[in-house]
Amino acid sequence: MREYTIDELARQAGTTVRNVRAYQDRGIIPPPERRGWAGVYGADHLSRLRIVGQLLARGYTLSSIGELIEALAQGHNLAQVIGIESAVASPWTDEQPALYTLPDLVKLFEGNFDPRVLASVVDLDILQQQGGKFVAPSPKMIIAAAELVKIGIPLADMLEVVSQLRANVERAAEAMVQLIDKHLLEKYGDGLPPPGESAEIGDLIWRLRPLVEMAVHAEVSRAMQRAATQHLGDRLSHVLEEFERARMQGGRKVDFDA
C-alpha cells in the first residue's frame, strides 16, 4: 500500500495541506500514523479525502459531512464503505508524480518546448502548476512527448490527439463504471450495501480492475494495429499505382521514396 506525506496526500486528493489539517481537526479524516516526527498517511486517508471532495463539490457543508461520517461510523462499518471507494477510485498506476521547472522542461525537450502551448498542457492536466513549478501526474507521458518532439512531431499536434483521446477514454470509463454500478450496486438502491456485503463488493471491484486494464490495452493495441496497417496499405497502394503507370508508359523508373 502506498504511503504519503501530508504534501503528497493533498496533491493526490486535489486539495491543500491546510484543508487536510482542518479536516483532521474536525475529525473528518483520522490522524496519520506517527513515525518519529513525521506523519504518514495511507490509502484510507486518500479515499476519505476524495469522498469529502466529492461531497463538497455537490454543495454539502463540512458540518453535514462530519455528521454523516460519524453516523456511518456508529451504524455501519465505515472501513468497508471506504474500502469500496478505495477499490473504485484508488490510483490505477504505481507511477509516481514528478516535479519540473520550466528550464527542466526546456532541457528535456532539447529546446523544442514552446512555452506558448503550456496553457494547453495544463488544461489537459498533463502538467499541474504549483507556484513556479509543474507536477506531472504521469512522467511517462512527458517523456514520451519529448521523444516524439525530438523526431519532429509538433507538441501542439500531439496535444490535439490527446484531447480527442481523452474525450473517448472518459466516455468509455463512464460506461465501464456504470456497468459496475448496474450489476454490483444497483440492487441496493440509492443507499449503501449492508455491512456484511460491503467487503465482498470492494473485493469484487479490486478483482475487476486488472481485467478492465487488460481489455483497454487489448483494444488500444487492436486500434493501433488497424490504423497503422491501413495507412501503410494506403502508401503501398500509391507506390503500386505509380509502378503500374510507369510500366504502362514503357518502363520509367519508379521513385519508391516519393
Side-chain angles (χ1 to χ4, degrees), residues 113-130:
F113 186 83
D114 187 348
R116 290 175 296 181
V117 303
L118 193 55
S120 298
V121 176
V122 172
D123 286 344
L124 286 169
D125 206 35
I126 297 171
L127 289 174
Q128 301 166 351
Q129 189 163 6
Q130 290 192 355

Side-chain angles (χ1 to χ4, degrees), residues 14 23 87 94 114 117 178 246:
Y23 299 160
D94 292 331
D114 187 348
V117 303
Q178 286 177 358

Side-chain angles (χ1 to χ4, degrees), residues 145-202:
E147 292 301 315
L148 291 171
V149 166
K150 290 174 188 176
I151 64 174
I153 299 177
L155 181 56
D157 291 354
M158 275 188 280
L159 293 177
E160 181 62 31
V161 173
V162 170
S163 180
Q164 296 173 22
L165 177 65
R166 179 76 53 82
N168 291 329
V169 169
E170 287 181 351
R171 281 196 295 270
E174 178 67 25
M176 187 63 70
V177 171
Q178 286 177 358
L179 282 179
I180 294 173
D181 187 64
K182 177 180 179 180
H183 295 286
L184 296 182
L185 299 174
E186 193 174 77
K187 60 185 176 182
Y188 303 112
D190 294 330
L192 297 169
E197 298 181 36
S198 295
E200 181 182 356
I201 295 296

Side-chain angles (χ1 to χ4, degrees), residues 76-118:
H76 204 291
N77 189 335
L78 189 60
Q80 293 180 352
V81 177
I82 297 298
I84 293 177
E85 198 279 341
S86 179
V88 173
S90 290
W92 286 55
T93 176
D94 292 331
E95 191 175 7
Q96 299 294 315
L99 194 65
Y100 297 95
T101 63
L102 188 55
D104 290 336
L105 293 169
V106 172
K107 181 179 179 181
L108 182 63
F109 282 75
E110 295 185 351
N112 294 315
F113 186 83
D114 187 348
R116 290 175 296 181
V117 303
L118 193 55

